[in-house]
């Protein structure tokens, strides 16, 4: 019983972590792409 509850909590925690990190990943990709294109234009 406790093991099942722990598994459910672990799955919920993983889902919350992915939802929280997704916007930051998108922002990092945006800024990373902007910086790489700026480097290409300078050279």
């Amino acid at each position: 019983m406790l093991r099942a509850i722990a598994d459910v909590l672990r799955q919920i925690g993983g889902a919350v972590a992915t939802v929280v990190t997704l916007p930051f990943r998108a922002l990092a990709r945006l800024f990373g792409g902007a910086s790489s294109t700026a480097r290409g234009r300078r050279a």
Side-chain angles (χ1 to χ4, degrees):
M1 183 68 181
L2 285 175
R3 192 172 294 169
I5 294 171
D7 287 338
V8 170
L9 287 175
R10 200 171 297 136
Q11 288 179 349
I12 293 171
V16 170
T18 51
V19 169
V20 167
T21 54
L22 268 175
F24 292 109
R25 284 183 191 170
L27 281 174
R29 190 175 296 174
L30 271 174
F31 286 117
S35 64
S36 65
T37 52
R39 281 183 212 141
R41 285 180 193 155
R42 284 183 200 154

